Amino acid sequence: MTSRDDTAAAGPGHPAPGLHVPVLLAEVLTALAPKAGGRYLDGTFGAGGYARAILEAAPDATLLALDRDPTAIAGGADLVAAMAGRLTLSQARFGKLAEEAERFGMAPLDGVVLDIGVSSMQIDQAERGFSFRFDGPLDMRMSGAGQSAADLINEAEEGLLANIFYHYGEERRSRAVARAVVEARRKAPLTTTKQLADLVASIVWAEPGGPHAATRVFQALRIAVNDELGELVSALHAAEAVLAPGGRLVVVTFHSLEDRIVKQFLTERSGRAPAGSRHAPVVDVARPTFSLVSRGPVAASEAEMRINSRSRSAKLRAAERNAAPAREPEPDLVALAGIPAPQPRRRA
Ligand SMILES: C[S@@+](CC[C@H](N)C(=O)[O-])C[C@H]1O[C@@H](n2cnc3c(N)ncnc32)[C@H](O)[C@@H]1O
């Protein structure tokens, strides 16, 4: 799996800790094409890099920015003041973006942008528990509420843990790691990132100079704790429902699971789904609701990759909404993208 490198330290290609450098910013603006007076929604406000750039690029445009992390929303207060009524912040999940746009009188929208994943601020704060680089509580909740990584690690059944590590982290030693977790927690609960990282490193071999042994397990846990794939699926459908004809959807992802979901959705919604067998019964083909802005994904330039290692795994996909009615939501989008839902193992 290609993914954001959480092991990065400050230095060439690694911005200083805590500083979030927006990824693919120029490419996002090109794909979104914000226009004067337009209404936009940024579902992942973070440090406000995209939000600021969109408002600066489009005179008199307004923007509603969401983030599920209350600290990100609090950190945006200065930008809200500087934008003098053009920027509104709301602590909310982007899976609810249609409701939020309605609530703030912003629908229909001229553009939706999503920059999925965690920010540098979140990774670099040890107490948030996202990174194995620092010792902190095993938390990983972006919103600070709900089930934490420690809850999951200490309570989930062994088979479920193994499936989470395998399906969301593509960790080949998933079963051995899950077994070790269950054995360790019998003695005492696992409560810190270091405990888990050391345990994984005792089982998973890491190539010298390559990603840390615990990279895939940590990513898998973060995805599960925050229901990241479910959120993405909801957001894609919500964008379809709330974009005006000509409005654009721009999504930046950092690992292959997310990119596969976005690709599957946009391929299907733009009428590019592969043709079925000519012997199959004729079915009603729903009208496309989007057209692709670019055929394949857009990646970062060599220059950006040199300055910011996080951009190496970034992929941008964009599409333009047409006037066709929104389609029925596709409940199995994650499965259609080839990602099985982790289930507890069946007992014989
Ligand atoms: C990569 S950062 C975004 C950075 C931003 N584009 C910038 O330029 O500063 C991702 C942000 O999205 C937020 N986030 C992730 N999943 C979310 C969700 N389902 N709903 C709302 N916010 C989410 C995270 O809390 C984080 O602050």
Side-chain angles (χ1 to χ4, degrees):
M1 178 189 309
T2 53
S3 64
R4 195 192 285 258
D5 177 11
D6 286 358
T7 62
H14 303 310
L19 181 73
H20 187 89
V21 179
V23 169
L24 287 171
L25 180 59
E27 291 82 356
V28 164
L29 289 179
T30 302
L32 188 68
K35 54 184 190 209
R39 290 194 280 203
Y40 296 92
L41 185 143
D42 176 353
T44 50
F45 178 72
Y50 284 8
R52 177 192 289 276
I54 293 166
L55 289 171
E56 284 175 353
D60 299 325
T62 48
L63 186 136
L64 170 62
L66 315 179
D67 203 296
R68 69 192 300 179
D69 185 341
T71 59
I73 297 298
D78 288 350
L79 190 58
V80 170
M83 291 298 166
R86 296 171 62 208
L87 172 64
T88 305
L89 296 185
S90 174
Q91 191 206 331
R93 291 183 283 126
F94 55 59
K96 297 271 174 210
L97 70 84
E99 288 95 323
E100 289 293 298
E102 297 287 351
R103 188 159 81 89
F104 287 96
M106 295 283 286
L109 292 162
D110 297 301
V112 170
V113 61
L114 299 170
D115 178 17
I116 315 279
V118 272
S119 67
S120 307
M121 293 86 72
Q122 290 167 329
I123 293 172
D124 292 336
Q125 285 170 348
E127 68 276 15
R128 303 297 303 266
F130 284 106
S131 177
F132 40 76
R133 280 189 287 137
F134 316 106
D135 195 14
L138 205 45
D139 191 316
M140 300 194 189
R141 295 170 297 180
M142 291 187 200
S143 66
Q147 185 187 45
S148 69
D151 294 336
L152 193 57
I153 277 289
N154 290 303
E155 289 163 20
E157 190 256 337
E158 182 180 327
L160 177 60
L161 282 179
N163 284 340
I164 288 173
F165 300 152
Y166 187 72
H167 294 310
Y168 291 168
E170 293 175 358
E171 173 51 66
R172 272 177 287 168
R173 303 275 288 135
S174 57
R175 298 216 174 281
V177 175
R179 204 174 314 124
V181 164
V182 170
E183 271 165 28
R185 77 188 188 192
R186 265 194 212 116
K187 293 173 207 142
L190 292 158
T191 55
T192 70
T193 50
K194 186 167 182 328
Q195 281 176 322
L196 181 63
D198 289 349
L199 184 72
V200 177
S202 71
I203 292 160
V204 175
W205 182 78
E207 213 167 304
H212 188 284
T215 303
R216 290 179 295 274
V217 165
F218 269 61
Q219 173 170 298
L221 272 178
R222 202 197 78 204
I223 291 174
V225 164
N226 296 289
D227 183 24
E228 292 184 29
L229 305 187
E231 275 293 304
L232 176 57
V233 168
S234 301
L236 295 172
H237 289 111
E240 182 186 47
V242 82
L243 277 168
R248 294 224 168 153
L249 170 62
V250 180
V251 189
V252 176
T253 61
F254 290 89
H255 59 72
S256 51
L257 300 183
E258 292 163 347
D259 182 58
R260 263 147 61 187
I261 291 172
V262 178
K263 181 180 174 190
Q264 175 73 33
F265 179 79
L266 292 182
T267 302
E268 197 210 308
R269 280 350 206 206
S270 61
R272 289 178 172 273
S277 156
R278 65 194 168 89
H279 304 296
V282 178
V283 285
D284 270 351
V285 179
R287 283 169 63 195
T289 51
F290 282 100
S291 56
L292 301 183
V293 170
S294 62
R295 237 168 178 275
V298 176
S301 64
E302 291 286 329
E304 181 173 5
M305 288 188 206
R306 270 197 301 278
I307 307 166
N308 188 357
S309 62
R310 288 207 169 98
S311 67
R312 285 184 200 144
S313 45
K315 278 187 182 163
L316 179 157
R317 293 187 188 268
E320 186 170 303
R321 184 76 169 89
N322 62 26
R327 291 206 216 155
E328 283 297 311
E330 172 50 70
D332 293 330
L333 190 55
V334 175
L336 285 174
I339 309 161
Q343 305 281 354
R345 208 181 297 154
R346 284 223 188 90
R347 291 185 199 285

